[in-house]
PDB file of all heavy atoms in Angstrom:
ATOM      1  N   ILE A 331      14.581  -0.172  36.893  1.00 98.00           N
ATOM      2  CA  ILE A 331      13.974   1.097  36.400  1.00 98.00           C
ATOM      3  C   ILE A 331      14.370   2.288  37.309  1.00 98.00           C
ATOM      4  O   ILE A 331      14.636   3.375  36.833  1.00 98.00           O
ATOM      5  CB  ILE A 331      12.443   0.935  36.325  1.00 98.00           C
ATOM      6  CG1 ILE A 331      12.096  -0.038  35.157  1.00 98.00           C
ATOM      7  CG2 ILE A 331      11.765   2.272  36.090  1.00 98.00           C
ATOM      8  CD1 ILE A 331      10.602  -0.445  35.154  1.00 98.00           C
ATOM      9  N   VAL A 332      14.293   1.989  38.632  1.00 98.00           N
ATOM     10  CA  VAL A 332      14.687   3.074  39.583  1.00 98.00           C
ATOM     11  C   VAL A 332      16.181   3.500  39.366  1.00 98.00           C
ATOM     12  O   VAL A 332      16.488   4.710  39.292  1.00 98.00           O
ATOM     13  CB  VAL A 332      14.543   2.542  41.052  1.00 98.00           C
ATOM     14  CG1 VAL A 332      15.199   3.528  42.074  1.00 98.00           C
ATOM     15  CG2 VAL A 332      13.047   2.370  41.386  1.00 98.00           C
ATOM     16  N   ASP A 333      17.014   2.537  39.154  1.00 98.00           N
ATOM     17  CA  ASP A 333      18.464   2.905  38.838  1.00 98.00           C
ATOM     18  C   ASP A 333      18.587   3.664  37.555  1.00 98.00           C
ATOM     19  O   ASP A 333      19.388   4.574  37.476  1.00 98.00           O
ATOM     20  CB  ASP A 333      19.333   1.621  38.774  1.00 98.00           C
ATOM     21  CG  ASP A 333      19.502   0.952  40.186  1.00 98.00           C
ATOM     22  OD1 ASP A 333      19.248   1.659  41.169  1.00 98.00           O
ATOM     23  OD2 ASP A 333      19.813  -0.254  40.163  1.00 98.00           O
ATOM     24  N   PHE A 334      17.818   3.242  36.600  1.00 98.00           N
ATOM     25  CA  PHE A 334      17.847   3.934  35.256  1.00 98.00           C
ATOM     26  C   PHE A 334      17.408   5.394  35.404  1.00 98.00           C
ATOM     27  O   PHE A 334      18.083   6.314  34.874  1.00 98.00           O
ATOM     28  CB  PHE A 334      16.895   3.179  34.290  1.00 98.00           C
ATOM     29  CG  PHE A 334      17.251   3.306  32.858  1.00 98.00           C
ATOM     30  CD1 PHE A 334      18.071   2.387  32.256  1.00 98.00           C
ATOM     31  CD2 PHE A 334      16.744   4.380  32.091  1.00 98.00           C
ATOM     32  CE1 PHE A 334      18.425   2.499  30.889  1.00 98.00           C
ATOM     33  CE2 PHE A 334      17.019   4.453  30.726  1.00 98.00           C
ATOM     34  CZ  PHE A 334      17.909   3.521  30.170  1.00 98.00           C
ATOM     35  N   VAL A 335      16.337   5.585  36.147  1.00 98.00           N
ATOM     36  CA  VAL A 335      15.830   6.959  36.352  1.00 98.00           C
ATOM     37  C   VAL A 335      16.910   7.803  37.130  1.00 98.00           C
ATOM     38  O   VAL A 335      17.146   9.008  36.800  1.00 98.00           O
ATOM     39  CB  VAL A 335      14.537   6.953  37.071  1.00 98.00           C
ATOM     40  CG1 VAL A 335      14.078   8.415  37.480  1.00 98.00           C
ATOM     41  CG2 VAL A 335      13.439   6.307  36.278  1.00 98.00           C
ATOM     42  N   LYS A 336      17.523   7.219  38.143  1.00 98.00           N
ATOM     43  CA  LYS A 336      18.548   7.903  38.917  1.00 98.00           C
ATOM     44  C   LYS A 336      19.677   8.443  38.053  1.00 98.00           C
ATOM     45  O   LYS A 336      20.091   9.586  38.147  1.00 98.00           O
ATOM     46  CB  LYS A 336      19.110   6.970  40.033  1.00 98.00           C
ATOM     47  CG  LYS A 336      18.298   6.919  41.296  1.00 98.00           C
ATOM     48  CD  LYS A 336      18.979   6.016  42.307  1.00 98.00           C
ATOM     49  CE  LYS A 336      20.262   6.651  42.774  1.00 98.00           C
ATOM     50  NZ  LYS A 336      20.885   5.909  43.924  1.00 98.00           N
ATOM     51  N   LYS A 337      20.125   7.618  37.140  1.00 98.00           N
ATOM     52  CA  LYS A 337      21.274   7.982  36.296  1.00 98.00           C
ATOM     53  C   LYS A 337      20.855   9.118  35.316  1.00 98.00           C
ATOM     54  O   LYS A 337      21.670  10.005  35.046  1.00 98.00           O
ATOM     55  CB  LYS A 337      21.805   6.806  35.518  1.00 98.00           C
ATOM     56  CG  LYS A 337      23.058   7.116  34.772  1.00 98.00           C
ATOM     57  CD  LYS A 337      23.700   5.901  34.100  1.00 98.00           C
ATOM     58  CE  LYS A 337      24.981   6.348  33.357  1.00 98.00           C
ATOM     59  NZ  LYS A 337      25.592   5.183  32.675  1.00 98.00           N
ATOM     60  N   ILE A 338      19.574   9.092  34.814  1.00 98.00           N
ATOM     61  CA  ILE A 338      19.113  10.126  33.943  1.00 98.00           C
ATOM     62  C   ILE A 338      19.127  11.445  34.680  1.00 98.00           C
ATOM     63  O   ILE A 338      19.563  12.489  34.149  1.00 98.00           O
ATOM     64  CB  ILE A 338      17.701   9.797  33.416  1.00 98.00           C
ATOM     65  CG1 ILE A 338      17.782   8.615  32.433  1.00 98.00           C
ATOM     66  CG2 ILE A 338      17.095  11.029  32.712  1.00 98.00           C
ATOM     67  CD1 ILE A 338      16.421   8.095  31.902  1.00 98.00           C
ATOM     68  N   VAL A 339      18.675  11.436  35.946  1.00 98.00           N
ATOM     69  CA  VAL A 339      18.698  12.582  36.793  1.00 98.00           C
ATOM     70  C   VAL A 339      20.118  13.053  37.019  1.00 98.00           C
ATOM     71  O   VAL A 339      20.455  14.247  36.899  1.00 98.00           O
ATOM     72  CB  VAL A 339      17.959  12.372  38.109  1.00 98.00           C
ATOM     73  CG1 VAL A 339      18.107  13.554  39.039  1.00 98.00           C
ATOM     74  CG2 VAL A 339      16.450  12.068  37.870  1.00 98.00           C
ATOM     75  N   ASP A 340      21.026  12.118  37.344  1.00 98.00           N
ATOM     76  CA  ASP A 340      22.452  12.407  37.575  1.00 98.00           C
ATOM     77  C   ASP A 340      23.105  13.020  36.375  1.00 98.00           C
ATOM     78  O   ASP A 340      23.994  13.890  36.467  1.00 98.00           O
ATOM     79  CB  ASP A 340      23.221  11.163  38.036  1.00 98.00           C
ATOM     80  CG  ASP A 340      22.748  10.716  39.379  1.00 98.00           C
ATOM     81  OD1 ASP A 340      22.151  11.474  40.156  1.00 98.00           O
ATOM     82  OD2 ASP A 340      23.021   9.491  39.708  1.00 98.00           O
ATOM     83  N   ASN A 341      22.663  12.576  35.176  1.00 97.00           N
ATOM     84  CA  ASN A 341      23.243  13.120  33.903  1.00 97.00           C
ATOM     85  C   ASN A 341      22.658  14.457  33.580  1.00 97.00           C
ATOM     86  O   ASN A 341      23.062  15.083  32.570  1.00 97.00           O
ATOM     87  CB  ASN A 341      23.020  12.114  32.789  1.00 97.00           C
ATOM     88  CG  ASN A 341      23.859  10.899  32.858  1.00 97.00           C
ATOM     89  OD1 ASN A 341      24.797  10.860  33.675  1.00 97.00           O
ATOM     90  ND2 ASN A 341      23.536   9.919  32.002  1.00 97.00           N
ATOM     91  N   GLY A 342      21.665  14.930  34.396  1.00 97.00           N
ATOM     92  CA  GLY A 342      21.151  16.271  34.151  1.00 97.00           C
ATOM     93  C   GLY A 342      19.944  16.419  33.242  1.00 97.00           C
ATOM     94  O   GLY A 342      19.558  17.499  32.947  1.00 97.00           O
ATOM     95  N   TYR A 343      19.346  15.262  32.896  1.00 98.00           N
ATOM     96  CA  TYR A 343      18.189  15.296  32.018  1.00 98.00           C
ATOM     97  C   TYR A 343      16.827  14.958  32.674  1.00 98.00           C
ATOM     98  O   TYR A 343      15.846  14.792  31.974  1.00 98.00           O
ATOM     99  CB  TYR A 343      18.458  14.325  30.844  1.00 98.00           C
ATOM    100  CG  TYR A 343      19.666  14.645  30.039  1.00 98.00           C
ATOM    101  CD1 TYR A 343      20.759  13.790  30.082  1.00 98.00           C
ATOM    102  CD2 TYR A 343      19.737  15.762  29.219  1.00 98.00           C
ATOM    103  CE1 TYR A 343      21.898  14.115  29.295  1.00 98.00           C
ATOM    104  CE2 TYR A 343      20.823  16.099  28.494  1.00 98.00           C
ATOM    105  CZ  TYR A 343      21.957  15.238  28.536  1.00 98.00           C
ATOM    106  OH  TYR A 343      23.043  15.555  27.827  1.00 98.00           O
ATOM    107  N   GLY A 344      16.848  14.874  33.969  1.00 98.00           N
ATOM    108  CA  GLY A 344      15.615  14.610  34.723  1.00 98.00           C
ATOM    109  C   GLY A 344      15.548  15.443  35.972  1.00 98.00           C
ATOM    110  O   GLY A 344      16.571  15.963  36.505  1.00 98.00           O
ATOM    111  N   TYR A 345      14.339  15.695  36.437  1.00 98.00           N
ATOM    112  CA  TYR A 345      14.218  16.502  37.706  1.00 98.00           C
ATOM    113  C   TYR A 345      13.052  15.906  38.483  1.00 98.00           C
ATOM    114  O   TYR A 345      12.135  15.291  38.052  1.00 98.00           O
ATOM    115  CB  TYR A 345      13.914  17.950  37.313  1.00 98.00           C
ATOM    116  CG  TYR A 345      12.662  18.224  36.478  1.00 98.00           C
ATOM    117  CD1 TYR A 345      11.425  18.467  37.068  1.00 98.00           C
ATOM    118  CD2 TYR A 345      12.735  18.235  35.074  1.00 98.00           C
ATOM    119  CE1 TYR A 345      10.293  18.667  36.263  1.00 98.00           C
ATOM    120  CE2 TYR A 345      11.685  18.452  34.301  1.00 98.00           C
ATOM    121  CZ  TYR A 345      10.423  18.677  34.918  1.00 98.00           C
ATOM    122  OH  TYR A 345       9.249  18.900  34.136  1.00 98.00           O
ATOM    123  N   VAL A 346      13.176  16.185  39.818  1.00 97.00           N
ATOM    124  CA  VAL A 346      12.160  15.669  40.779  1.00 97.00           C
ATOM    125  C   VAL A 346      11.123  16.756  41.098  1.00 97.00           C
ATOM    126  O   VAL A 346      11.557  17.913  41.213  1.00 97.00           O
ATOM    127  CB  VAL A 346      12.852  15.176  42.107  1.00 97.00           C
ATOM    128  CG1 VAL A 346      11.794  14.635  43.058  1.00 97.00           C
ATOM    129  CG2 VAL A 346      13.922  14.172  41.764  1.00 97.00           C
ATOM    130  N   SER A 347       9.831  16.386  41.075  1.00 96.00           N
ATOM    131  CA  SER A 347       8.801  17.315  41.396  1.00 96.00           C
ATOM    132  C   SER A 347       7.675  16.674  42.141  1.00 96.00           C
ATOM    133  O   SER A 347       7.025  15.802  41.620  1.00 96.00           O
ATOM    134  CB  SER A 347       8.296  17.923  40.062  1.00 96.00           C
ATOM    135  OG  SER A 347       7.246  18.864  40.345  1.00 96.00           O
ATOM    136  N   ASN A 348       7.545  16.994  43.406  1.00 95.00           N
ATOM    137  CA  ASN A 348       6.467  16.525  44.244  1.00 95.00           C
ATOM    138  C   ASN A 348       6.423  14.968  44.285  1.00 95.00           C
ATOM    139  O   ASN A 348       5.345  14.412  44.218  1.00 95.00           O
ATOM    140  CB  ASN A 348       5.110  17.100  43.704  1.00 95.00           C
ATOM    141  CG  ASN A 348       3.961  16.999  44.708  1.00 95.00           C
ATOM    142  OD1 ASN A 348       4.281  16.985  45.961  1.00 95.00           O
ATOM    143  ND2 ASN A 348       2.783  16.949  44.286  1.00 95.00           N
ATOM    144  N   GLY A 349       7.592  14.352  44.415  1.00 95.00           N
ATOM    145  CA  GLY A 349       7.651  12.933  44.528  1.00 95.00           C
ATOM    146  C   GLY A 349       7.718  12.180  43.229  1.00 95.00           C
ATOM    147  O   GLY A 349       7.910  10.936  43.181  1.00 95.00           O
ATOM    148  N   SER A 350       7.461  12.857  42.085  1.00 97.00           N
ATOM    149  CA  SER A 350       7.560  12.277  40.726  1.00 97.00           C
ATOM    150  C   SER A 350       8.879  12.740  40.095  1.00 97.00           C
ATOM    151  O   SER A 350       9.433  13.748  40.505  1.00 97.00           O
ATOM    152  CB  SER A 350       6.351  12.703  39.912  1.00 97.00           C
ATOM    153  OG  SER A 350       5.161  12.103  40.491  1.00 97.00           O
ATOM    154  N   VAL A 351       9.272  12.060  39.073  1.00 98.00           N
ATOM    155  CA  VAL A 351      10.464  12.433  38.312  1.00 98.00           C
ATOM    156  C   VAL A 351      10.080  12.585  36.837  1.00 98.00           C
ATOM    157  O   VAL A 351       9.392  11.751  36.270  1.00 98.00           O
ATOM    158  CB  VAL A 351      11.563  11.321  38.437  1.00 98.00           C
ATOM    159  CG1 VAL A 351      12.805  11.872  37.681  1.00 98.00           C
ATOM    160  CG2 VAL A 351      11.861  11.083  39.894  1.00 98.00           C
ATOM    161  N   TYR A 352      10.455  13.746  36.248  1.00 97.00           N
ATOM    162  CA  TYR A 352      10.084  14.009  34.923  1.00 97.00           C
ATOM    163  C   TYR A 352      11.370  14.202  34.087  1.00 97.00           C
ATOM    164  O   TYR A 352      12.396  14.528  34.508  1.00 97.00           O
ATOM    165  CB  TYR A 352       9.239  15.359  34.852  1.00 97.00           C
ATOM    166  CG  TYR A 352       7.889  15.185  35.465  1.00 97.00           C
ATOM    167  CD1 TYR A 352       7.730  15.525  36.809  1.00 97.00           C
ATOM    168  CD2 TYR A 352       6.836  14.648  34.764  1.00 97.00           C
ATOM    169  CE1 TYR A 352       6.482  15.410  37.423  1.00 97.00           C
ATOM    170  CE2 TYR A 352       5.550  14.528  35.382  1.00 97.00           C
ATOM    171  CZ  TYR A 352       5.389  14.865  36.700  1.00 97.00           C
ATOM    172  OH  TYR A 352       4.180  14.723  37.230  1.00 97.00           O
ATOM    173  N   PHE A 353      11.175  13.915  32.736  1.00 98.00           N
ATOM    174  CA  PHE A 353      12.260  14.087  31.773  1.00 98.00           C
ATOM    175  C   PHE A 353      12.238  15.492  31.276  1.00 98.00           C
ATOM    176  O   PHE A 353      11.193  15.967  30.866  1.00 98.00           O
ATOM    177  CB  PHE A 353      12.080  13.065  30.670  1.00 98.00           C
ATOM    178  CG  PHE A 353      13.272  13.017  29.740  1.00 98.00           C
ATOM    179  CD1 PHE A 353      14.386  12.272  30.028  1.00 98.00           C
ATOM    180  CD2 PHE A 353      13.286  13.776  28.545  1.00 98.00           C
ATOM    181  CE1 PHE A 353      15.477  12.191  29.167  1.00 98.00           C
ATOM    182  CE2 PHE A 353      14.419  13.723  27.708  1.00 98.00           C
ATOM    183  CZ  PHE A 353      15.462  12.927  28.043  1.00 98.00           C
ATOM    184  N   ASP A 354      13.409  16.162  31.255  1.00 98.00           N
ATOM    185  CA  ASP A 354      13.513  17.544  30.855  1.00 98.00           C
ATOM    186  C   ASP A 354      13.814  17.533  29.300  1.00 98.00           C
ATOM    187  O   ASP A 354      14.925  17.458  28.877  1.00 98.00           O
ATOM    188  CB  ASP A 354      14.656  18.257  31.597  1.00 98.00           C
ATOM    189  CG  ASP A 354      14.605  19.700  31.424  1.00 98.00           C
ATOM    190  OD1 ASP A 354      14.135  20.190  30.359  1.00 98.00           O
ATOM    191  OD2 ASP A 354      15.065  20.466  32.341  1.00 98.00           O
ATOM    192  N   THR A 355      12.712  17.661  28.515  1.00 97.00           N
ATOM    193  CA  THR A 355      12.875  17.582  27.055  1.00 97.00           C
ATOM    194  C   THR A 355      13.606  18.771  26.488  1.00 97.00           C
ATOM    195  O   THR A 355      14.388  18.645  25.561  1.00 97.00           O
ATOM    196  CB  THR A 355      11.497  17.504  26.418  1.00 97.00           C
ATOM    197  OG1 THR A 355      10.658  18.598  26.845  1.00 97.00           O
ATOM    198  CG2 THR A 355      10.776  16.207  26.706  1.00 97.00           C
TER     199      THR A 355
END
Side-chain angles (χ1 to χ4, degrees):
I331 292 171
V332 169
D333 291 340
F334 206 92
V335 173
K336 276 184 67 178
K337 188 173 178 183
I338 291 175
V339 173
D340 293 343
N341 288 348
Y343 299 111
Y345 59 90
V346 181
S347 178
N348 199 26
S350 295
V351 184
Y352 294 94
F353 188 83
D354 194 331
T355 53

